Amino acid sequence: MYDVIVIGAGPAGMTAALYASRSNLKVLLIERGAPGGQMNNTAEVENYPGFTSIMGPELAYKMYEGVNQFGTVNAYGIVEEIIDHGTTKTVVCEDQSYEGKAVIIATGCVHRKLGVPGEDEFAGRGVSYCAVCDGAFFKGKHLFVIGGGDSAVEEGIYLTQFASKVTVVHRRDELRAQKIIQERAFANPKMEFYWNTVLEEITGDEIKVQGVQLKNVQTGEVTAESADGVFIYVGLDPLTEPFRKLGITNAQGWIETDQEMETKIPGIYAIGDVREKTLRQITTAVGEGGIAGQQVYQYLQELA
């Protein structure tokens, strides 16, 4: 029986595990991949206090080093559901179940797919959702980035160190990214922008991507262009399917909490990118992890 089970070892989950274990609680941290979450797919982090600039995987490693200093138990697992028994909870994984008095959900989210023809067919063969993972494969190539938010523009800038040209395709007539990021992009000679345009189809041969079909949403004109790769950044979907039965998610699947990070079920908390909120950053994830880790201690004190 653990005092608290943390599901997900991104910045939120790792911070929660750190705070809870430092309070002398028995903590289990379950992760289905490498610790760090989205940080492992982030090139350069420039807005995390204490570092003027640090690579995402390096920051993830530094956080993970701190997690284990107070006795957190680490486990690999893909969580299928949480069963609420009141004062205890069962976390059911594919091949094992764990018992805890409280649970902190920090499963994060994933990049949303467009659902256009060719997207699934060419996944890993020119279609990507991670510039850090795949950018180096496209040296001297022409790449298309779909989206207009922070992630799309930042990753587009990152890709220019490899690509000969990066074309950003956005359905509106202006970007949604922060102004400082926009300024960097507009000043980059390798970047160009297609406004009021959407991706209709990704084309290629049996080996790789070779082109895209684009549609102007104002004129309806469809054009075909050569492309060596397509990077898609059109939003995020929460990883909350295992928790839908609990009734703690909203219509879009995000988990709703109070300011103490507690859901409407006592003893179940949610933190980080999986929460219903406006800002999804490493700093906010860490802050929420600290709150949840401390609130679990208070919750268990009241149970005793």
Side-chain angles (χ1 to χ4, degrees):
M1 174 67 70
Y2 291 93
D3 291 317
V4 58
I5 298 172
V6 181
I7 306 172
M14 289 194 286
T15 304
L18 173 63
Y19 269 69
S21 61
R22 193 170 181 269
S23 296
N24 205 31
L25 300 182
K26 188 177 181 182
V27 180
L28 174 67
L29 178 60
I30 302 174
E31 172 55 45
R32 66 176 191 170
Q38 295 283 2
M39 289 190 294
N40 290 316
N41 299 329
T42 303
E44 196 170 9
V45 178
E46 295 181 316
N47 56 358
Y48 190 75
F51 301 95
T52 55
S53 176
I54 185 171
M55 300 301 288
E58 183 183 357
L59 182 57
Y61 179 74
K62 288 181 180 294
M63 285 189 185
Y64 186 64
E65 281 185 316
V67 166
N68 300 306
Q69 60 183 316
F70 299 110
T72 295
V73 177
N74 295 274
Y76 171 82
I78 297 175
V79 174
E80 295 184 334
E81 67 174 321
I82 297 172
I83 303 171
D84 176 34
H85 307 291
T87 56
T88 64
K89 327 288 179 190
T90 301
V91 176
V92 180
C93 296
E94 283 184 321
D95 55 0
Q96 190 171 353
S97 295
Y98 302 94
E99 303 294 323
K101 299 173 186 175
V103 175
I104 299 174
I105 301 169
T107 45
C109 53
V110 292
H111 290 289
R112 184 176 301 147
K113 290 188 174 183
L114 275 174
V116 298
E119 182 177 10
D120 288 338
E121 179 185 353
F122 293 105
R125 297 192 292 136
V127 172
S128 175
Y129 306 85
C130 177
V132 177
C133 309
D134 300 325
F137 296 117
F138 295 93
K139 290 182 179 178
K141 304 296 185 181
H142 181 193
L143 302 178
F144 281 76
V145 172
I146 315 301
D150 286 355
S151 294
V153 182
E154 283 183 319
E155 301 305 273
I157 294 170
Y158 177 82
L159 288 169
T160 60
Q161 67 183 302
F162 307 109
S164 60
K165 181 165 69 172
V166 173
T167 301
V168 177
V169 177
H170 188 41
R171 64 169 53 246
R172 298 180 178 86
D173 59 1
E174 62 179 3
L175 298 173
R176 292 179 291 107
Q178 297 175 55
K179 292 301 180 183
I180 188 170
I181 300 172
Q182 291 191 39
E183 290 169 3
R184 290 176 185 171
F186 293 144
N188 192 313
K190 285 188 175 183
M191 297 188 75
E192 66 175 359
F193 299 84
Y194 286 1
W195 307 109
N196 303 306
T197 302
V198 295
L199 177 68
E200 289 276 281
E201 184 178 354
I202 301 167
T203 59
D205 56 21
E206 60 277 2
I207 300 174
K208 59 184 177 63
V209 167
Q210 291 190 325
V212 292
Q213 298 272 356
L214 304 172
K215 179 181 179 179
N216 186 293
V217 296
Q218 293 183 328
T219 66
E221 181 184 4
V222 176
T223 58
E225 297 213 18
S226 296
D228 298 301
V230 181
F231 287 75
I232 299 172
Y233 299 96
V234 292
L236 302 165
D237 289 318
L239 290 168
T240 54
E241 188 59 38
F243 320 121
R244 299 293 175 94
K245 292 180 183 177
L246 293 171
I248 59 175
T249 60
N250 64 16
Q252 292 73 43
W254 304 101
I255 299 178
E256 297 177 324
T257 74
D258 60 19
Q259 62 183 4
E260 269 73 51
M261 307 299 134
E262 190 171 40
T263 69
K264 63 184 180 183
I265 298 178
I268 297 182
Y269 299 78
I271 54 176
D273 288 357
V274 78
R275 285 183 66 230
E276 171 59 57
K277 60 178 184 175
T278 56
L279 185 63
R280 292 182 171 85
Q281 296 283 296
I282 299 172
T283 49
T284 57
V286 167
E288 292 162 19
I291 292 170
Q294 189 61 30
Q295 285 303 126
V296 162
Y297 174 80
Q298 298 294 340
Y299 168 77
L300 294 176
Q301 291 293 104
E302 293 169 7
L303 278 186

